[in-house]
Every structure is written in structure tokens, then in C-alpha cells.
Amino acid sequence: MPELVFFSGTMDCGKSTLALQIEHNRSARGLKGMIFSRDDRAGRGKLSSRLGLVTDAVEIRDGQDLYAYLVDHLSHGGRADYVIADEAQFLAEEQIDQLARVVDDLGLDVYAFGITTDFRSKLFPGSQRLVELADRVEVLQVEALCWCGARATHNARTVGGVMVVEGAQVVVGDVNQADTIGYEVLCRRHHRRRMTAASEKAAALSPDVLPVQAV
């Protein structure tokens, strides 16, 4: 039976990497996927991971009906054997409902990837709706680490390396960008105490691209 599966976790836990792996595995077997994304770090219409992998995607717009988009695509001879939706936390609740309808009415598997909570430790509306509707919720097992080395469980927003707890829920930035708006993963203790890597002069443990050392 087709399923709506929500893969969740903090930043840096490999969500987009897994989305790209699912796409690779299925396309290698001759299947064709419809890939949606929103506000990806690589720009509009992209799905990328911090490992440096990237593929094209359909950029989701405010108010866009994802079910109607799939129906129109299929009605005009397009093919879609499954759906991937990355950065699903940024979707509106009704768009999550539309993805559920894709599963139920079109018979397609939908794999949604997203962060569960924002920098204030509050649920994103899209993620909350996914938890409510998904056939399965998979918490990714690749553990992101706080600067202290403990398991990271919370996402923090920083401005100039200083953690902030007020502001708009969605502000696009990147991890470890100390001179501007950035994001960092922290354990609960250091999130509660607002202690970031920069404030504690700790080395960053999660660079954008994994270092490669010649042997």
C-alpha cells in the first residue's frame, strides 16, 4: 500500500542526503519521481545536501495546490511513480493535506523530509500536520552533535554567533555563518542556556561539506 512517510530530525542529521539517496535508488530501477522542495540552500528549484549533492526540483509556492499539480502533470502525459518533498516544515497545513491525498487518491508513495521544531522549540505547522497524518514517522538515526559533543536535539538561530529566540519563524540562512543569520544544532541544555559554539569559543563540529583528506 502507498504511504505518506515523514522523515524528521534536527538540522545536519542527513534528511536531504537521504532524500537524494531515495531518488537515486528508485531512478536506478527505472522509476520516475516528482521532487518538490522549498527554500533550499542551493537556490530555487533545487534539492541539495551539505555533502555537495544536488538535483533539480519543483519549487513549491505559497498557496500552490500540490495535488492539482500532480493531477495536471499526469493528465498531460507526465510520469510520477513517487513523490519526494524536502523542507516540508515550510509547507502550509493544507499542502500537507494535499500530499496525503496524493497517496490516497493517486496511489503514490510520498516521502516528506523536514525539521520538526523551529529555533524556539515550537512545532512548524507543516511538520505538526505531517505528524498528525503520516502513515509512518521516521526519526533519522544519524545523530547531529552539539558543539559540546552531546547529541543535538534542538535547532538554534544565531545572529553574529549569538543565539536569538525571537523573530519570524522562517528566515533562510545556513549553519555556522557567524557574521550573519545562521543556524546551529544544540543539545537541550545548551539551547536552554543559549550557549552556542561561538559564544563558548568552541570549534564548529558540522561544516557545510565534509572534509576530505588525501591519503
Side-chain angles (χ1 to χ4, degrees):
M1 296 292 291
E3 290 184 308
L4 172 59
V5 185
F6 179 34
F7 295 93
S8 69
T10 63
M11 296 179 299
D12 289 0
C13 72
K15 295 182 301 300
S16 296
T17 300
L18 179 58
L20 288 163
Q21 184 68 54
I22 288 176
E23 163 64 13
H24 170 76
N25 290 350
R26 281 154 180 73
S27 63
R29 297 295 181 265
L31 300 176
K32 178 69 174 178
M34 174 65 68
I35 303 176
F36 291 110
S37 188
R38 174 158 185 169
D39 296 332
D40 189 272
R41 68 184 67 84
R44 293 180 60 83
K46 298 293 181 183
L47 165 57
S48 69
S49 99
R50 291 191 176 90
L51 299 183
L53 305 173
V54 62
T55 192
D56 291 331
V58 176
E59 183 75 15
I60 299 173
R61 306 185 308 273
D62 287 339
Q64 182 177 12
D65 188 325
L66 303 182
Y67 176 81
Y69 184 94
L70 263 298
V71 169
D72 183 70
H73 174 75
L74 296 170
S75 298
H76 286 83
R79 180 181 171 188
D81 299 308
Y82 58 93
V83 175
I84 290 174
D86 198 28
E87 306 294 356
Q89 72 272 7
F90 296 144
L91 302 187
E93 294 181 39
E94 57 267 25
Q95 290 175 319
I96 303 302
D97 290 347
Q98 293 155 14
L99 290 178
R101 188 180 178 191
V102 168
V103 176
D104 297 339
D105 293 0
L106 301 183
L108 302 180
D109 285 314
V110 174
Y111 306 103
F113 300 80
I115 296 168
T116 309
T117 57
D118 64 16
F119 69 104
R120 302 164 300 180
S121 299
K122 302 294 184 181
L123 285 168
F124 282 100
S127 298
Q128 178 176 332
R129 192 61 177 150
L130 276 165
V131 171
E132 293 166 349
L133 291 184
D135 298 292
R136 285 190 291 127
V137 177
E138 300 283 351
V139 178
L140 297 193
Q141 298 303 307
V142 177
E143 291 187 352
L145 299 179
C146 178
W147 59 264
C148 69
R151 179 173 178 265
T153 55
H154 289 61
N155 304 300
R157 179 182 293 169
T158 60
V159 177
V162 178
M163 180 176 161
V164 296
V165 294
E166 296 181 353
Q169 186 174 55
V170 179
V171 176
V172 178
D174 209 344
V175 294
N176 302 320
Q177 302 296 315
D179 59 339
T180 183
I181 294 176
Y183 291 90
E184 183 177 344
V185 288
L186 300 172
C187 63
R188 184 182 63 243
R189 179 178 62 175
H190 288 134
H191 187 277
R192 182 170 55 83
R193 296 177 179 177
R194 304 186 190 181
M195 296 168 64
T196 68
S199 67
E200 297 306 302
K201 298 182 172 58
L205 296 178
S206 179
D208 287 346
V209 179
L210 291 178
V212 178
Q213 182 174 359
V215 177

